[in-house]
Amino acid sequence: MVSIKDVAKKAQVSTATVSHVINETRFVADETKQKVYLAMKDLNYQPNRIARSLRSRKSNTIGLLVPLVAEDTSNFFFMSIANGIEKVLKENGYNLILSNSDEDEGTEKDQIRVFNTQLIDGLIIAPVNGKDSAYKQELTGDYPVVYIDRHPSGIEGDMVLVDNLRGSYEAVTALLNKGYERIGFITGTLGITTSDERLNGYKQALEEKGLPVRKEFIKEGPATFEQGYQLAKELHEAGVSALFIANNVMTMGAVSYLKEHQVNIPEEIGIIGYDDYDWMKITSPPLSVVRQPAFEIGKVAVEQLLKRINGSQEKYTEVMLDSELVQRGSF
């Protein structure tokens, strides 16, 4: 087992100098640093990062807690967020620990408790239940937190969100401007802030055009392919002229139903989905979508988190990013 003494002997410096080079605790001349680095490389010496962390109270590690559900294509959305986070972390010498809440409140609390016992420098979390989970009681670790995607109520903290209401409003308005008036709305479980905001955008667009919000045209269910298929069937049979679907996995189910029953898009029914993935570009016709800036969410969130880690005392910030309506051939 190579020790710090072995490195010091090979580099012909003191053990204190080697320690200062490794931990960056005191100025060391570049020439001396190079001697130490070369000795570490020649001896294949690996610093004890856990011990360093305990001494410095920094681990250079960030936690990310997001809801990843098996067979749910929204996982790509959160993976894109993770890519944005990792890019910034690599540039700043940090590592990332990814944890999955599985869209379950109990699992989320368990994962937070694990993070509380770990030496992380900060946490980014997409809350499972933005309305009434007791994040103040659970997040007891000595680290800053940034919330993403969903807005937890009653919490003061840094947040990076997307303007879901506006994205939904613009999509439904675009359908209305093309002459579609009997517009069906398919959503995952309501009560999550993102779902609620998208429903409100749908309602606002109709109301501004002087059209009634018809309850029978609003369909809610678990965010699954099967539910997207079934709810599209119900709305098609109810005579809607267009569909706006507020999440991507239900969009897949809805498109599958329309294709299977040879419903012509956009001649017989218009359709706009949520989030943008490669499969949406190769359908016939290519699918119009509301695209979220997933990579940017991760990038902005971790930049704010690193400010807090480095001692920023500025007021909590809520960054609201814009979505984008991507018009293809489906309406």
Side-chain angles (χ1 to χ4, degrees):
M1 193 81 172
V2 179
S3 70
I4 195 171
K5 289 181 180 178
D6 298 321
V7 175
K9 183 177 180 180
K10 186 168 183 64
Q12 296 183 322
V13 297
S14 69
T15 55
T17 298
V18 176
S19 177
H20 290 314
V21 170
I22 293 171
N23 295 299
E24 299 178 351
T25 48
R26 187 178 296 177
F27 172 78
V28 178
D30 287 341
E31 184 179 348
T32 304
K33 279 185 183 178
Q34 288 304 313
K35 287 181 180 179
V36 173
Y37 290 145
L38 286 171
M40 290 169 63
K41 184 178 179 181
D42 288 346
L43 296 171
N44 194 27
Y45 174 72
Q46 301 294 325
N48 188 330
R49 298 192 180 278
I50 295 175
R52 285 176 59 194
S53 297
L54 292 171
R55 286 193 297 272
S56 66
R57 295 303 302 164
K58 280 193 71 177
S59 63
N60 281 61
T61 300
I62 300 299
L64 172 63
L65 180 55
V66 292
L68 303 175
V69 182
E71 299 180 359
D72 185 345
T73 55
S74 64
N75 294 346
F76 293 120
F77 170 70
F78 288 113
M79 288 299 96
S80 295
I81 290 176
N83 286 338
I85 292 170
E86 281 198 306
K87 183 178 187 300
V88 177
L89 290 183
K90 284 180 180 178
E91 292 169 355
N92 289 272
Y94 279 77
N95 300 306
L96 181 67
I97 298 176
L98 174 63
S99 189
N100 176 23
S101 65
D102 201 31
E103 202 69 271
D104 177 77
E105 195 172 336
T107 302
E108 179 183 62
K109 287 180 180 180
D110 290 341
Q111 295 300 328
I112 289 173
R113 289 172 191 141
V114 171
F115 277 125
N116 289 341
T117 64
Q118 310 248 333
L119 196 62
I120 60 170
D121 295 337
L123 177 64
I124 298 172
I125 177 172
V128 166
N129 185 341
K131 282 199 168 182
D132 51 23
S133 281
Y135 290 104
K136 283 184 180 178
Q137 287 91 330
E138 298 296 337
L139 289 164
T140 58
D142 184 23
Y143 51 78
V145 178
V146 175
Y147 300 90
I148 59 170
D149 187 47
R150 301 165 180 181
H151 194 308
S153 64
I155 294 287
E156 285 192 348
D158 295 310
M159 301 184 194
V160 182
L161 310 169
V162 177
D163 194 343
N164 288 285
L165 189 149
R166 180 182 172 187
S168 181
Y169 168 84
E170 289 181 347
V172 177
T173 297
L175 289 169
L176 292 167
N177 289 340
K178 285 289 188 179
Y180 302 101
E181 292 190 351
R182 295 168 60 85
I183 301 172
F185 178 76
I186 296 176
T187 178
T189 305
L190 295 170
I192 297 173
T193 54
T194 48
S195 299
D196 292 349
E197 289 161 4
R198 292 168 194 176
L199 175 58
N200 289 336
Y202 165 82
K203 291 178 177 179
Q204 184 177 319
L206 292 173
E207 288 166 353
E208 284 193 7
K209 289 288 186 179
L211 295 171
V213 176
R214 299 176 57 169
K215 289 184 179 180
E216 68 269 26
F217 284 178
I218 298 172
K219 298 291 184 179
E220 172 194 3
T224 64
F225 179 96
E226 292 76 16
Q227 277 291 294
Y229 183 101
Q230 176 60 31
L231 298 180
K233 176 179 184 293
E234 292 175 15
L235 286 169
H236 180 237
E237 291 173 350
V240 299
S241 59
L243 292 173
F244 175 57
I245 307 160
N247 67 69
N248 61 84
V249 69
M250 298 181 91
T251 302
M252 292 175 69
V255 170
S256 177
Y257 168 80
L258 296 175
K259 292 294 184 184
E260 187 176 308
H261 290 80
Q262 299 180 339
V263 181
N264 292 323
I265 306 170
E267 293 82 6
E268 295 180 66
I269 195 166
I271 183 169
I272 299 179
Y274 223 93
D275 283 327
D276 193 17
Y277 300 106
D278 288 341
W279 73 266
M280 295 171 165
K281 302 170 188 175
I282 60 173
T283 58
S284 181
L287 199 64
S288 302
V289 295
V290 177
R291 177 190 291 157
Q292 296 192 88
F295 187 90
E296 187 70 11
I297 292 171
K299 182 173 178 291
V300 173
V302 76
E303 286 172 348
Q304 181 60 28
L305 190 66
L306 290 175
K307 285 182 186 178
R308 294 294 181 197
I309 291 169
N310 292 324
S312 172
Q313 298 296 315
E314 66 183 16
K315 289 183 178 180
Y316 289 127
T317 61
E318 182 178 304
V319 178
M320 186 70 74
L321 301 175
D322 289 330
S323 57
E324 175 191 2
L325 177 60
V326 181
Q327 298 192 41
R328 296 189 177 114
S330 62
F331 77 96

